[in-house]
Amino acid sequence: MKFKSIYLSAALALFLASCGSSKKITATPLAINTTITAKKADLTDTEEKRWSHLDLFNDTIPGMSVDRAYSTLLQGRKATKIIVGVVDSGVDIEHPDLQGVIWTNPKEIAGNGIDDDNNGYIDDIHGWNFLGDINHENMEFIRILKKGDDGSETYKRAKAKYDEEYNQALAGKMQMDFILKADKKFQELTGKENYTAEDLKALDLKDPSLTSVRSQFVMILAQISREELAKEVNSGVEHYTNEIEYHLNLKYNAREILGDNPDDFNSRGYGNNNVIGPDKDGAKHGTHVSGIIAQVRNNGIGGDGVASDVVEIMAVRAVPDGDEYDKDVALAIRYAVDNGAKVINGSFGKYFSTHSEWVYDAIKYAGEKDVLIVCAAGNEGAYLDKNGGVERYPNDNMVTGPEFSDNFICIGALNNKLTEKGLVAPFSNYGKNNVDVFSPGMRIYATTPDNHYEFLQGTSMASPNAAGVAALIRAYYPKLSASQVKHILMDSGLAPNMQVQVGEGEDQKVIMFSEASKSGKIVNAYNALIMADQISRGK
């Protein structure tokens, strides 16, 4: 006889669904047991746009096996929505590939000018903007210099850093200006805005300065178009201009715009609820980071997010163009924790810190609330273990000591080639003690403001790739702790037994990949979910 009770039928359906969602995973983890022949051909456009989701075994590309995880492990499984706090430069929450995954504060009524949830932030509907209308900031060592020479080693180190950086910025700006002038002259001589390498070769040049630079232009144009070259040069001009006018300018004080004292941790409630920021261009970095985690999968536009279906992005704006303030970072972490984030991505960092204790306390607070913090290792191609430990913030070991909280994981960046020179991104910092694991960070395709998509690269891109996998684990196995998820990311990864080139310029060297991080591994979503399933069952 057919069962007719609506209530019991619904309960039975729920029971069956829950059984399906908790079905034991029997798949065997991936392991590198034999030599894998590296992919020799260039990546296709499609492969390049989503290489971080591909597979070392199926595609011979050192991605995170995200596609394999979705197709073989996650079909039919139920998940709990996970809030991911993106502490960054702002997020374009209006981007069509992100609109559906933006966190909305359920306790706040939009636009009424009242702090409905009594959390200290009025109308914080999608997060909070701790920078208000600030776009640009000083570097931290500039702030130290502004306070005057106190005779300390920190001041001396800051002064030396300023002298080095300022001279480099002036030289870089002059170089970019020279390239711009040469580009303009080549346009005039060829009669073309978008000239080619062949056009330049055909020129009969009389100016020796143009003759000397032509060969460099020809070499570059053999790789990219003149439009791309112009874009790169303009980006370089903007970079060095910002360094001179804002980052390294001893007379610039952006904090006056905000009206906050960054040395008073008890002064709260500053900023506003515009999580995009004063203009969308300034939110490019945070929008790209958010897209890596959550842009819609398989919709035929842009790239694919690692954890699109199971996450909500909480936008917390605290990272300007320049160095972030410790106060803003500490409060941003606490804000994300207090409002339900279970994973926080921090694609930022600096080498001086005046109030690191505030950030350390925030990391510990997140640990007490079972929140995982995923952070970028940095893009200086530096050996972070040098001389006992390079001062890079934030960190979870107070630079040289033991880890004080087991909820913080530091991510290095991979390139997309399984070769000695191609596996570790040349810009990525590394270190057996201070970097935990590596994930894809070279030329990652994701959302940028005003409905656009771009390739960006950096450990800033590697961190959200790892954070996306962490979110998948927490969504499908919500009972696992932040510490367990951290160690799953590290322990379940693939371990290429090979030499790799690390660092850039004079600091470039070859080491075993196992020495580049604490785990010696590459984040792998497929393996991570298998291990998560095993640990959740007490095995």
Side-chain angles (χ1 to χ4, degrees), residues 239-283:
H239 169 75
Y240 289 118
T241 299
N242 286 344
E243 287 214 314
I244 294 167
E245 292 187 3
Y246 304 113
H247 305 170
L248 306 174
N249 187 348
L250 288 161
K251 296 180 180 180
Y252 178 69
N253 184 3
R255 208 67 180 188
E256 290 180 348
I257 301 171
L258 189 60
D260 171 69
N261 180 3
D263 296 317
D264 180 4
F265 196 60
N266 293 318
S267 172
R268 309 282 179 91
Y270 61 92
N272 59 47
N273 70 343
N274 179 11
V275 295
I276 297 175
D279 60 73
K280 284 191 176 182
D281 286 345

Side-chain angles (χ1 to χ4, degrees), residues 379-393:
N379 302 327
E380 288 69 40
Y383 176 49
L384 295 184
D385 298 348
K386 187 176 182 179
N387 299 326
V390 173
E391 288 190 32
R392 177 173 167 79
Y393 303 90

